[in-house]
């Protein structure tokens, strides 16, 4: 059996009891390490789970995941994902490939950024298409076009910022706001900058783009929200956020 287990967004204790029990009984445990980042090291996860963890970087997932599938035909294998088990396209692809090969597979879900942004008070029902901003955004048009579509429909826009944990590279909120400003956002546009949502030291700051871009948000992961049409409860919630 192949278990895809979401670990949550913060530390080793975000995992569900069900997920922890499966890890402790699994023959082998793999950790996908390139689509997101948590506020905890692999060594700390190993100590808490009581299991050795095998790192699975992008190259491993793209070229060696078949070895994991073969083992899962005979033994219980846990494949750990930061955040939720089906948020990233990478994880959906693994799930589909395993299903096509008739590998027995189960999913254990975990907290995701797509639900965690509810802490801002903005309704999850009112978010439009989620938008990614990559490192090399100079000639990128699609991200801003998706934002304009969300805006036209009165929807909130969630921007996920690129990261490369292996090389300790993370697109900053300042860089992402600079991209949006260069594409047409006004310096006075109201935005919400977020860092490490779900952890005890999360930072959420709301204000004009020009002011938010000056804030030091500390360690990643980062995201930005540009609110769309607001319900009165959402307006009240935004008023309660830390302002810049």
């Amino acid at each position: 059996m192949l278990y895809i287990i979401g670990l949550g967004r913060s530390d080793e204790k975000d995992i569900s009891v069900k997920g922890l029990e499966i890890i402790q009984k699994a023959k082998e445990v793999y950790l996908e390490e390139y689509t997101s980042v948590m506020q905890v090291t692999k060594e700390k996860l190993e100590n808490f789970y009581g299991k050795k963890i095998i790192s699975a970087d992008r190259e491993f997932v793209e070229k060696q995941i078949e070895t994991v599938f073969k083992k899962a035909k005979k033994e219980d294998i846990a494949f750990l994902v930061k955040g939720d088990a089906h948020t990233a396209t990478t994880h959906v692809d693994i799930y589909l490939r395993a299903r096509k090969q008739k590998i027995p597979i189960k999913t254990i879900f975990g907290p995701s950024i797509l639900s965690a942004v509810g802490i801002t008070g903005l309704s999850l029902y009112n978010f439009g298409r989620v938008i990614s901003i990559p490192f090399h955004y100079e000639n990128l048009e699609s991200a801003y076009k998706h934002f304009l579509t969300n805006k036209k429909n009165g929807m909130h826009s969630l921007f996920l910022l690129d990261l490369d944990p292996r090389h300790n590279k993370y697109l900053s909120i300042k860089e992402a706001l600079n991209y949006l400003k260069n594409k047409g956002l006004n310096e006075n546009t109201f935005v919400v900058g977020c860092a490490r949502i779900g952890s005890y030291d999360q930072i959420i700051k709301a204000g004009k783009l020009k002011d938010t871009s000056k804030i030091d948000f500390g360690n990643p992961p980062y995201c930005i929200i540009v609110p769309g049409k607001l319900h009165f409860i959402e307006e009240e919630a935004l008023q309660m956020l830390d302002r810049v």
Side-chain angles (χ1 to χ4, degrees):
M1 178 73 73
L2 175 63
Y3 292 92
I4 302 181
I5 303 174
L7 298 183
R9 297 198 40 77
S10 182
D11 57 26
E12 70 278 11
K13 296 181 181 179
D14 269 10
I15 192 170
S16 66
V17 174
K18 183 185 293 184
L20 180 58
E21 290 176 344
I22 291 170
I23 288 173
Q24 293 175 340
K25 294 177 181 179
K27 180 68 174 181
E28 289 187 342
V29 180
Y30 294 82
L31 174 64
E32 185 270 289
E33 292 199 285
Y34 71 91
T35 60
S36 188
V37 61
M38 295 175 67
Q39 310 304 305
V40 63
T41 63
K42 181 166 75 73
E43 289 71 26
K44 196 167 184 179
L45 290 177
E46 289 179 326
N47 290 335
F48 186 77
Y49 299 155
K51 298 285 288 191
K52 176 179 173 56
I53 295 176
I54 303 168
S55 295
D57 58 14
R58 181 186 293 271
E59 183 177 1
F60 180 93
V61 173
E62 292 178 350
K63 298 180 180 180
Q64 300 181 49
I65 195 66
E66 295 295 332
T67 62
V68 177
F69 291 165
K70 290 179 181 179
K71 293 176 182 179
K73 289 182 178 180
K74 301 177 180 179
E75 302 167 329
D76 286 344
I77 304 296
F79 189 84
L80 312 184
V81 172
K82 298 167 184 176
D84 187 45
H86 287 293
T87 299
T89 305
T90 295
H91 311 140
V92 176
D93 178 63
I94 291 173
Y95 180 82
L96 293 177
R97 288 163 64 185
R99 288 289 301 274
K100 288 177 182 178
Q101 296 185 37
K102 301 189 182 305
I103 307 296
I105 184 170
K106 288 186 178 179
T107 298
I108 311 299
F109 296 97
S112 162
I113 184 61
L114 301 184
S115 58
V117 291
I119 191 66
T120 62
L122 295 172
S123 172
L124 299 180
Y125 296 110
N126 295 331
F127 276 84
R129 175 168 179 162
V130 178
I131 306 166
S132 296
I133 301 181
F135 287 116
H136 303 294
Y137 55 71
E138 292 80 6
N139 300 314
L140 180 69
E141 298 294 335
S142 59
Y144 192 71
K145 288 181 179 178
H146 294 322
F147 163 71
L148 291 178
T149 299
N150 288 346
K151 181 179 179 181
K152 179 181 178 181
N153 294 326
M155 311 298 285
H156 311 317
S157 292
L158 170 62
F159 295 89
L160 303 181
L161 310 192
D162 205 356
L163 46 76
D164 181 0
R166 184 178 181 183
H167 298 99
N168 198 31
K169 290 177 57 180
Y170 303 92
L171 186 70
S172 70
I173 290 177
K174 180 178 180 179
E175 290 172 313
L177 290 176
N178 183 61
Y179 161 77
L180 293 173
K181 184 177 70 173
N182 289 339
K183 289 298 178 182
L185 245 65
N186 191 291
E187 283 195 339
N188 294 318
T189 299
F190 183 82
V191 300
V192 182
C194 310
R196 303 175 305 284
I197 286 185
S199 64
Y200 290 125
D201 66 343
Q202 67 181 15
I203 294 179
I204 302 173
K205 298 284 188 179
K208 295 178 180 179
L209 184 151
K210 63 180 180 181
D211 298 322
T212 306
S213 63
K214 299 175 184 178
I215 298 297
D216 180 3
F217 283 88
N219 294 325
Y222 310 116
C223 68
I224 296 169
I225 302 170
V226 180
K229 185 177 180 180
L230 297 173
H231 184 273
F232 71 90
I233 293 180
E234 293 178 310
E235 290 180 344
E236 181 179 351
L238 290 179
Q239 291 294 328
M240 297 179 68
L241 294 180
D242 287 340
R243 294 303 182 103
V244 295

